[in-house]
Amino acid sequence: IIMLQLSVLLLLSLVPPLEANDNGNTTFTSLPFKMRLPDSVRPLHYDLLIHPNLTFLTFTGSVQIQLEVRQETKHIFLNSKNLHISRALRLGSRHPHLLQLQESEHFEQIALSSESLTFTRGLHVIQLDFSANLSDTFHGFYKGTYTTRNGEVRALASTQFEPTHARAAFPCFDEPGFKANFSIRVRRESRHISISNMPKLKTVELAGGLLEDHYDVTVKMSTYLVAFIVCDFLSISKRSQHGVEISVYTVPEKISQAEYALNTAVTLLDFYDDYFDIPYPLPKQDLAAIPDFQSGAMENWGLTTYRESGLLFDPERSSTSDKLGITKVIAHELAHQWFGNLVTMQWWNDLWLNEGFAKFMEFVSVNITYPELQVNDYFLEKCFTAMGVDSLSSSHPISTPVENPAQIREMFDDVSYQKGACVLNMLRDFLTPEAFKMGIIRYLKNHSYQNTVNADLWYSLTNVTDGFCSDSKSSASASKWYMDDDLNVKAIMDTWTLQEGFPIISVEVKGREVYLKQERYLKGADPAKNSSFLWQVPLTYITSSSSSVQRFLLKNRKDVLYLPAEVEWIKFNVDMRGYYIVHYETGGWDALIRQLQQNHTVLSGNDRASLIHNIFQLVSIGKVPLDKALSLSLYLRYETEIMPVTQGFGELVPLYKLMEKRDMATLEHQLKSYLMNLFQRLINAQRWSDEGSVSERILRNYLLLFACVRRYGPCVQTAQELFQKWKESDGKMRLPADVRLVVYTEGARTEEGWDFLLEKYRQTLYPSEKSQIKAALSYSPLADKLKWFGDILKTHELPSLVISVSKNPQAYKLAWDFLRTNWQKLVQKFDLGSSSISRMVVGVTNQYSTREKLVEVQSFFSSLEQGMGAGLRSVQQAVENIEENIRWMDKNVPLLTHWLNSHSI
């Protein structure tokens, strides 16, 4: 681990920022800077020249900004961060006017002024010349490298501006509400190319062998969507049915892996063009695979950027899971071209209008364009993930006030993405898919090239549903939603977006009467804190007598609905389309458990998965005893569908992971044996091949990996034999893509196998193969070998490695030690509040369940200096997770021991 730390310290060492040199016109002052720019000055057009030097890793630039001054002022405020501004001018009809520049590093702003000048109402043009180092982080205008097959290291420069980093590449009005047009020019050497948001108009030859690429003027857009890349990539292209030129750019040696992404992008862009009934407004759409990339992908208008693993696909080596992931990420970024780019949230508090919609549209679009990928099998998991975060006191409303950059970065979380998507899915089911689609098309058309707030969306949907639903009221398919009174979408949805958390609906059946009660679901807190929470909940249900979905809008804390006849059981939240969980009181759970044991297929796979999820969540807050939840899990012996099976694992595996980090070997092995016996029949039915549907293939990898890690004889033997043959062929033998990870993980258990895999990791040009080998090595019991891994790891892969190591029973302590030792460097590299930092904080600590570890985690984060992370929401989440784990273990270990002793399958 010392070598790992040294390697990472080298990876993380930052280039020192260029020193500010004001040349007599920069001063640091006590002007009344504020976090937000004043609205009285607005940019209309940027003329931007940028010139990176990939030898010295610096860049220079100049920007002319046409401004509309709406209110007379002495100062122009705009954003700038770590830029050395050598000159600031106001350009006039006669002579340029030199401007004084005053800077606030804290607010990442500059103010331009001149004693002899007042900026009157009307149009003005300012010019700023600037220079800086290419960033050594993953944001702003940053340097990247890749290594060719021959070992040559090549440099590139690319951008990542969302949310607040355009200001680190050029002075600008760096807020989403300040939309403008951009004319971009990029200077480069002849060995490189450049790409940007728009098509290139021409290339001009300059002195010294330099070339200057001139790009067409952009549509009106926010600064965070500007992009430019200087590199030596190759590309392949194809024209969509609607005439858009689509290209995929990669490093030269990986261009053969670009074809799937290209075809997928063509299909999806054409789909969105038709679905939204709004033509994609640019002449081209580029997709670029960036070797050094922190995020999953970025929706820059006309130039979307991706991790290599999120874009590159090889039919021989990439797994079904890779194909599904790549398709979804392309669908997400292309959905943003409408949701986010064409129509943009006014401020970051409503980020979910971008991200929740893009996440939701991933599933809508891929389900229609690639039905064979069975994408809907994975939507539930997004809602369960969101609920895991949303059940804690540290959660936040989907729409929540934010001001500074660190707070803004923390908004890119499971609440904005996953909960946002789940709430939209609930709304779509509530309004009907047809009405919902009409409403979002109206929303996009009414607000194109503008900025919006929550209420704009609800207004568009209410307008549509007013007409749509009134026409439908008399029809046989009329929904009970609309029978009582006029539909107020805003009133309903405000309860889901303006308050955090979600409801638990308690259901008690007495004859034909169903008594309903709602309260907030919250782990480990005083229930009195939740008394004010109230939702308008679109309930759906089926019964033992009827599979026809019935609907009821619960607006009050308590209500009663009436059944036509008595039933054996009732199941609420059909297919888990609603963002709430259900508790069945006085025999309700017993009746559902009996049905699962007698014939589980009466309920859909999603309904079965939601019952598994709900009952274990109810154990956590003491509504249901653990033995009842475990009794429900017994039916899983006969389960075959991916969602219920993976949800069963999802609830039971974390329990023994808690025990691995305590001295509880006997109980840990008992629980592992129970799980193995529960799924042994299904594991034995798996073939070591790439046959079957997408969900069957993904489930196969999941089951065989579990069986081999648990040392199940038949699985271990097959995996060892396959690894030996693969190794003897020097890695040339084709392994079935969907079981390759299982084989690698088995091989990584020996010193010889580890070393062989590490060498293949160094050599391979296939991102999918790299990620599988990395995962296998990180889970090896040879913990001391991990120290060699840092020598060749790309820095952006560090967070996932650290989290993976934290799940390794033999190596989890290394992950926490590494996080603490390198915290300052990690924050510098990945940015305070970023999802990379948040994922590490929560991921490394979420299996701790002792008071000693709780104190250790609290002590470390509380000892940090101001502005170094003590107040992060992810730190609060981490602490709450450990506290919840302690409570769970204290209460349930005796029950679990007794139940396992009396239940052997």
Side-chain angles (χ1 to χ4, degrees):
I1 192 66
I2 292 170
M3 289 195 67
L4 173 60
Q5 288 174 348
L6 287 174
S7 306
V8 173
L9 287 174
L10 286 171
L11 283 166
L12 295 177
S13 60
L14 296 169
V15 175
L18 287 170
E19 293 297 323
N21 179 355
D22 59 27
N23 290 332
N25 73 330
T26 303
T27 58
F28 295 86
T29 181
S30 56
L31 261 179
F33 286 96
K34 297 177 181 177
M35 196 59 72
R36 298 282 299 274
L37 296 173
D39 195 39
S40 55
V41 178
R42 300 188 68 83
L44 300 176
H45 183 269
Y46 292 80
D47 200 322
L48 174 64
L49 168 66
I50 206 90
H51 178 197
N53 184 318
L54 293 184
T55 303
F56 295 102
L57 303 177
T58 60
F59 68 94
T60 58
S62 179
V63 64
Q64 289 184 12
I65 310 174
Q66 185 183 36
L67 307 171
E68 180 191 7
V69 176
R70 297 180 171 182
Q71 184 179 327
E72 189 175 284
T73 180
K74 291 289 289 182
H75 296 89
I76 302 289
F77 291 89
L78 61 163
N79 294 109
S80 175
K81 182 181 180 183
N82 295 340
L83 296 174
H84 162 52
I85 298 173
S86 55
R87 189 171 60 153
L89 302 169
R90 176 188 174 276
L91 303 182
S93 55
R94 287 171 292 179
H95 302 292
H97 197 115
L98 193 65
L99 299 176
Q100 293 286 318
L101 186 147
Q102 299 166 72
E103 182 168 11
S104 168
E105 289 184 2
H106 173 72
F107 290 107
E108 300 178 358
Q109 288 178 27
I110 54 174
L112 306 177
S113 64
S114 171
E115 287 184 15
S116 60
L117 176 67
T118 296
F119 292 93
T120 56
R121 289 181 61 182
L123 299 182
H124 297 263
V125 178
I126 58 171
Q127 176 177 321
L128 299 108
D129 301 332
F130 54 92
S131 60
N133 286 333
L134 287 170
S135 173
D136 201 24
T137 65
F138 297 108
H139 42 258
F141 192 24
Y142 71 96
K143 68 176 185 181
T145 61
Y146 71 94
T147 306
T148 67
R149 195 189 294 273
N150 297 327
E152 180 190 353
V153 177
R154 294 183 180 177
L156 63 138
S158 58
T159 56
Q160 169 63 41
F161 290 161
E162 190 180 31
T164 59
H165 297 295
R167 64 191 67 174
F170 61 100
C172 57
F173 293 76
D174 199 14
E175 295 181 9
F178 290 115
K179 290 192 171 187
N181 303 97
F182 296 80
S183 297
I184 295 171
R185 292 172 291 147
V186 182
R187 286 185 185 164
R188 59 178 173 88
E189 297 176 58
S190 58
R191 63 192 171 119
H192 294 126
I193 63 165
S194 74
I195 39 180
S196 188
N197 304 85
M198 296 298 288
K200 186 167 63 176
L201 295 176
K202 63 179 179 180
T203 299
V204 177
E205 289 190 25
L206 305 176
L210 286 177
L211 301 173
E212 186 174 284
D213 295 328
H214 292 229
Y215 289 92
D216 204 351
V217 62
T218 71
V219 293
K220 191 177 173 187
M221 66 184 197
S222 304
T223 48
Y224 76 87
L225 295 170
V226 172
F228 35 85
I229 303 171
V230 175
C231 59
D232 67 346
F233 289 0
L234 297 179
S235 66
I236 57 172
S237 303
K238 198 171 184 178
R239 194 169 290 277
S240 75
Q241 287 180 7
H242 293 277
V244 180
E245 183 77 7
I246 299 179
S247 305
V248 178
Y249 287 81
T250 79
V251 303
E253 291 175 338
K254 297 178 183 177
I255 195 64
S256 63
Q257 300 174 58
E259 189 174 354
Y260 179 76
L262 180 63
N263 292 331
T264 301
V266 168
T267 300
L268 285 163
L269 200 71
D270 277 331
F271 167 80
Y272 286 133
D273 218 305
D274 295 332
Y275 185 89
F276 294 133
D277 192 32
I278 301 172
Y280 174 75
L282 308 189
K284 63 96 172 173
Q285 169 64 233
D286 297 333
L287 299 84
I290 309 297
D292 295 285
F293 200 78
Q294 178 183 348
S295 309
M298 178 60 208
E299 67 266 22
N300 316 300
W301 214 343
L303 174 52
T304 51
T305 48
Y306 304 77
R307 281 192 175 198
E308 290 185 327
S309 58
L311 199 64
L312 304 185
F313 181 84
D314 179 77
E316 290 297 304
R317 290 174 174 81
S318 301
S319 68
T320 309
S321 183
D322 293 327
K323 177 182 274 192
L324 178 64
I326 289 166
T327 309
K328 282 171 59 188
V329 78
I330 293 171
H332 185 102
E333 302 314 321
L334 295 186
H336 270 311
Q337 308 300 298
W338 285 264
F339 279 104
N341 299 10
L342 184 67
V343 180
T344 313
M345 75 266 139
Q346 179 65 34
W347 180 244
W348 300 105
N349 61 306
D350 282 330
L351 173 68
W352 84 280
L353 289 173
N354 283 19
E355 298 300 350
F357 254 113
K359 178 60 66 177
F360 170 72
M361 287 306 301
E362 275 180 36
F363 290 88
V364 173
S365 63
V366 175
N367 184 49
I368 294 170
T369 54
Y370 293 92
E372 72 279 7
L373 291 180
Q374 299 169 288
V375 71
N376 283 345
D377 283 350
Y378 310 97
F379 190 78
L380 269 198
E381 182 265 331
K382 303 298 175 192
C383 305
F384 295 155
T385 299
M387 285 177 163
V389 173
D390 213 15
S391 62
L392 303 175
S393 296
S394 53
S395 187
H396 63 90
I398 285 179
S399 180
T400 199
V402 287
E403 287 296 320
N404 66 52
Q407 291 171 344
I408 292 167
R409 286 190 287 272
E410 281 209 293
M411 286 295 286
F412 289 78
D413 66 357
D414 287 331
V415 172
S416 294
Y417 284 72
Q418 325 294 14
K419 180 179 179 178
C422 295
V423 164
L424 287 169
N425 190 52
M426 177 172 68
L427 181 58
R428 181 184 189 229
D429 183 57
F430 173 72
L431 298 177
T432 73
E434 298 80 10
F436 181 81
K437 180 180 175 182
M438 288 167 62
I440 62 172
I441 290 171
R442 175 177 289 188
Y443 168 76
L444 289 171
K445 288 185 174 179
N446 286 351
H447 301 286
S448 292
Y449 304 105
Q450 297 171 28
N451 295 83
T452 58
V453 295
N454 258 354
D456 295 317
L457 177 62
W458 308 145
Y459 180 74
S460 295
L461 287 161
T462 299
N463 268 1
V464 170
T465 52
D466 280 349
F468 189 88
C469 300
S470 60
D471 293 343
S472 307
K473 275 185 180 177
S474 58
S475 72
S477 62
S479 165
K480 276 186 73 174
W481 305 131
Y482 317 120
M483 299 305 253
D484 296 335
D485 48 26
D486 288 334
L487 181 67
N488 186 337
V489 173
K490 183 178 186 300
I492 295 166
M493 296 310 295
D494 280 353
T495 70
W496 296 96
T497 60
L498 302 183
Q499 62 184 0
E500 69 270 29
F502 59 91
I504 169 176
I505 309 298
S506 295
V507 176
E508 187 175 13
V509 181
K510 294 181 179 178
R512 290 176 49 218
E513 296 177 337
V514 181
Y515 290 84
L516 304 167
K517 181 180 72 176
Q518 65 160 297
E519 59 189 305
R520 183 182 174 191
Y521 179 93
L522 187 66
K523 291 180 178 175
D526 178 0
K529 292 180 183 174
N530 306 318
S531 57
S532 63
F533 284 78
L534 185 68
W535 286 265
Q536 293 197 29
V537 190
L539 298 177
T540 55
Y541 62 95
I542 54 174
T543 70
S544 54
S545 302
S546 172
S547 59
S548 175
V549 178
Q550 303 300 310
R551 303 175 183 274
F552 184 85
L553 184 61
L554 180 64
K555 294 184 175 182
N556 303 313
R557 203 164 302 283
K558 293 182 179 181
D559 211 332
V560 183
L561 63 82
Y562 299 91
L563 302 173
E566 292 190 18
V567 296
E568 289 180 34
W569 53 260
I570 188 167
K571 163 69 173 71
F572 276 83
N573 203 355
V574 178
D575 283 336
M576 189 81 189
R577 292 194 198 114
Y579 188 71
Y580 59 92
I581 66 172
V582 185
H583 174 40
Y584 303 92
E585 296 183 331
T586 58
W589 275 113
D590 296 327
L592 286 163
I593 291 169
R594 276 195 304 274
Q595 181 60 62
L596 287 172
Q597 290 170 344
Q598 289 165 10
N599 178 12
H600 63 276
T601 61
V602 167
L603 295 161
S604 71
N606 276 4
D607 274 333
R608 303 195 299 270
S610 74
L611 288 173
I612 296 165
H613 171 268
N614 284 194
I615 199 166
F616 277 94
Q617 304 318 301
L618 293 166
V619 170
S620 292
I621 59 169
K623 293 269 189 187
V624 172
L626 177 63
D627 51 2
K628 185 164 287 191
L630 292 168
S631 295
L632 182 146
S633 74
L634 284 166
Y635 104 89
L636 286 165
R637 283 173 293 182
Y638 308 107
E639 185 58 83
T640 58
E641 288 191 29
I642 187 165
M643 272 310 302
V645 169
T646 54
Q647 197 55 40
F649 276 110
E651 299 298 346
L652 293 166
V653 168
L655 305 188
Y656 74 67
K657 297 302 289 183
L658 295 180
M659 295 163 199
E660 284 178 348
K661 294 174 176 59
R662 289 185 170 201
D663 187 17
M664 304 179 73
T666 304
L667 183 58
E668 174 196 329
H669 290 301
Q670 260 188 297
L671 183 53
K672 289 176 178 176
S673 298
Y674 171 68
L675 257 174
M676 191 62 229
N677 292 333
L678 201 58
F679 293 108
Q680 187 169 340
R681 182 167 155 270
L682 192 56
I683 289 166
N684 289 338
Q686 302 305 309
R687 297 179 182 176
W688 294 71
S689 71
D690 285 339
E691 298 170 2
S693 70
V694 167
S695 287
E696 286 168 346
R697 293 170 67 177
I698 290 174
L699 183 59
R700 174 183 301 137
N701 170 72
Y702 198 100
L703 289 165
L704 292 177
L705 189 59
F706 171 77
C708 279
V709 170
R710 294 281 65 78
R711 316 311 298 145
Y712 179 50
C715 180
V716 170
Q717 184 180 346
T718 306
Q720 286 178 344
E721 289 171 0
L722 283 171
F723 183 78
Q724 195 57 37
K725 288 178 183 174
W726 179 72
K727 183 168 166 290
E728 286 169 0
S729 75
D730 194 29
K732 294 181 175 65
M733 182 186 105
R734 187 191 180 278
L735 290 167
D738 295 315
V739 298
R740 187 179 283 126
L741 176 60
V742 183
V743 175
Y744 291 166
T745 302
E746 188 58 40
R749 295 180 66 85
T750 68
E751 300 250 351
E752 190 181 353
W754 167 285
D755 293 340
F756 183 77
L757 282 164
L758 187 65
E759 190 55 35
K760 291 301 166 195
Y761 181 89
R762 292 177 191 271
Q763 295 173 359
T764 185
L765 290 172
Y766 298 95
S768 56
E769 199 163 44
K770 245 182 167 51
S771 63
Q772 288 182 327
I773 293 174
K774 182 181 78 169
L777 294 179
S778 72
Y779 204 72
S780 169
L782 307 174
D784 60 311
K785 302 283 278 184
L786 285 169
K787 63 191 176 189
W788 299 106
F789 211 6
D791 290 344
I792 55 170
L793 194 72
K794 270 195 167 288
T795 316
H796 73 261
E797 296 178 303
L798 194 61
S800 61
L801 175 70
V802 171
I803 294 166
S804 196
V805 170
S806 77
K807 310 305 176 204
N808 183 331
Q810 277 74 41
Y812 69 90
K813 291 177 182 173
L814 299 180
W816 172 235
D817 289 343
F818 176 82
L819 189 67
R820 286 187 296 179
T821 305
N822 295 286
W823 179 257
Q824 193 159 357
K825 294 269 192 279
L826 290 166
V827 166
Q828 282 179 286
K829 188 72 179 179
F830 292 105
D831 240 3
L832 197 64
S834 69
S835 60
S836 294
I837 293 293
S838 298
R839 284 189 298 114
M840 282 190 285
V841 169
V842 174
V844 166
T845 60
N846 67 1
Q847 291 175 357
Y848 294 157
S849 63
T850 64
R851 285 167 180 79
E852 292 76 18
K853 274 295 180 191
L854 174 63
V855 170
E856 199 175 294
V857 171
Q858 286 176 316
S859 298
F860 170 70
F861 286 110
S862 62
S863 71
L864 296 174
E865 294 175 17
Q866 181 74 25
M868 282 304 293
L872 289 176
R873 186 181 291 120
S874 55
V875 172
Q876 299 168 42
Q877 287 175 5
V879 168
E880 283 190 76
N881 282 332
I882 301 170
E883 289 172 341
E884 172 60 23
N885 291 342
I886 293 169
R887 276 192 297 272
W888 198 99
M889 295 292 276
D890 288 350
K891 181 176 181 179
N892 290 305
V893 163
L895 268 171
L896 180 61
T897 306
H898 176 74
W899 193 89
L900 288 172
N901 285 337
S902 56
H903 288 78
S904 56
I905 300 178

